[in-house]
Amino acid sequence: MTAVDSLPHGAMEQAVILIADDHPINRTLIVTALGKAGFRRLLVAGDGCEALTMAEASVPDCIVLDIMMPQMDGWTVCRTLRADPRFQHVPIIVQSALSSAEDRRMAFALGASDMVSKPFDPQELIARVRVHVANRLLSTGLLAYRERLNSELQEARAVAEALLPEPGDLAVLAGCGLAVDFHHRSSSEVGGDYFGAWPTSDGRVALFVGDVSGHGVSAALRAFRLNALLVPSPPFIGDLRATAAHLDDRLHRFGQREAQFVAGTLVVYDPAHGNLRYLGAGLRDGMILKAGGGIELLPMSGMPFGLCPGLTRPERVCKLDAGDTLLLYTDALVESAESAGAPADEGGLVQWVARTLDRIGRDEPERLATRIATTFLADFGAGVQDDLLVVSAHARPTP
């Protein structure tokens, strides 16, 4: 199928063709040939100045341009049109009795799309006009589609970002004794990394970090669905096993149709006793950055949420003392090995985090996720091909 065959019925005859030639006989021949070929919207100019005026009034879909004209020659018309963004993609077919290699090079250097020699063959001219008009109409349609898609993706990105906790939400958590910070960056316009944080009714704090299967729009749609399962937070959000069972069951129902699963972790922090209870489901191992120095690894292994309902998942418990900081993250921090020196696994990441803390200092623990993520992107950003999410939770001293 050719580009001409791909056009909707009637699109060709609605195309605007501008013909610029100072010889009345040539103009008549071109108009007659194109008219018989089905083109109905033909504009005719007798010189270059008139051609520019007509193009300004109605941007054509193709221009058939004579080179040798009085007042303003075709070279100048071509150069002027190409300098204007409105006409950069309009095909210009120049016609001239000049046929040397130098003339042809000049024509294309000035922006001509094609060239026909005088005296022209009507069938050749028709064929060239049809091809260029078809390509023009198709590319215009594609550009319009791309602009609409970009607009929709920007709107989707704004919606996706609205799923993440707001500053007011984080302020409530800080009042409960846990200063939470996060940094999120999608690998494309939208992505599937997800983070939620909620206070429980008994004064504890619940966190969920998830890496939704897939990338781009499909992952974002799955993240919206995940969000619907967690917001507003279910009354059992402080019960790790009940929340995990809820996610396993509901995500598995979706997954039967489209294989949705989420690698993640659920965390509940009790500030009164400094206890951190967590349940891993295939997320990368977390870390506790101890107030006195040192890093403790938290294993997050386990089957991702949604793969199998009815699982009995083990809970783990550790201490998060005042001044300690919990660090959670998705795959990008250990899957950017294309960049020289980037961590290739959790062990390498622990070493990088330790070196980074020596570089950036430990005096802003309540903003640690942002500082870790921005440093990582500065060091290895070119190799980061996945969605990036870093979450930190700093245990404040109890009053």
Side-chain angles (χ1 to χ4, degrees), residues 115-304:
M115 191 171 187
V116 294
S117 299
K118 285 185 174 183
F120 64 87
D121 178 343
Q123 293 305 313
E124 179 188 359
L125 179 63
I126 290 169
R128 291 178 185 270
V129 170
R130 287 175 64 85
V131 168
H132 284 291
V133 168
N135 288 336
R136 158 73 171 171
L137 296 179
L138 288 173
S139 64
T140 299
L142 288 173
L143 287 172
Y145 171 76
R146 181 178 179 180
E147 289 177 2
R148 185 176 74 250
L149 181 61
N150 285 339
S151 175
E152 291 174 355
L153 285 173
Q154 290 296 327
E155 185 175 350
R157 184 187 187 104
V159 173
E161 290 177 349
L163 302 182
L164 299 168
E166 297 285 342
D169 302 324
L170 301 183
V172 171
L173 304 181
C176 296
L178 198 64
V180 177
D181 182 39
F182 70 93
H183 186 94
H184 176 260
R185 193 197 77 165
S186 297
S187 60
S188 57
E189 291 299 327
V190 290
D193 283 355
Y194 181 84
F195 170 51
W198 310 270
T200 68
S201 58
D202 56 2
R204 296 179 298 161
V205 175
L207 305 176
F208 178 82
V209 176
D211 187 352
V212 178
S213 56
H215 295 281
V217 174
S218 64
L221 292 173
R222 291 168 180 164
F224 297 150
R225 184 175 289 162
L226 172 64
N227 183 72
L229 301 179
L230 293 171
V231 177
S233 59
F236 47 79
I237 191 67
D239 185 331
L240 293 177
R241 288 178 176 166
T243 304
H246 168 66
L247 293 175
D248 279 331
D249 178 64
R250 297 298 297 276
L251 290 173
H252 181 72
R253 293 186 198 178
F254 297 142
Q256 289 179 323
R257 298 192 296 270
E258 54 182 79
Q260 175 170 357
F261 59 89
V262 180
T265 187
L266 285 161
V267 174
V268 174
Y269 173 64
D270 180 358
H273 301 92
N275 290 329
L276 186 75
R277 304 186 71 86
Y278 66 97
L279 185 153
L283 196 71
R284 294 290 182 173
D285 289 348
M287 305 179 202
I288 293 181
L289 312 181
K290 304 301 290 184
I295 298 176
E296 178 184 334
L297 271 180
L298 301 183
M300 298 292 179
S301 60
M303 189 174 291

Side-chain angles (χ1 to χ4, degrees), residues 288-339:
I288 293 181
L289 312 181
K290 304 301 290 184
I295 298 176
E296 178 184 334
L297 271 180
L298 301 183
M300 298 292 179
S301 60
M303 189 174 291
F305 295 114
L307 281 182
C308 183
L311 285 179
T312 300
R313 296 180 179 273
E315 288 186 23
R316 298 180 173 95
V317 62
C318 65
K319 294 292 288 183
L320 188 70
D321 296 320
D324 292 348
T325 303
L326 171 67
L327 187 68
L328 302 171
Y329 55 93
T330 53
D331 284 342
L333 292 192
V334 291
E335 292 187 354
S336 303
E338 294 178 9
S339 297

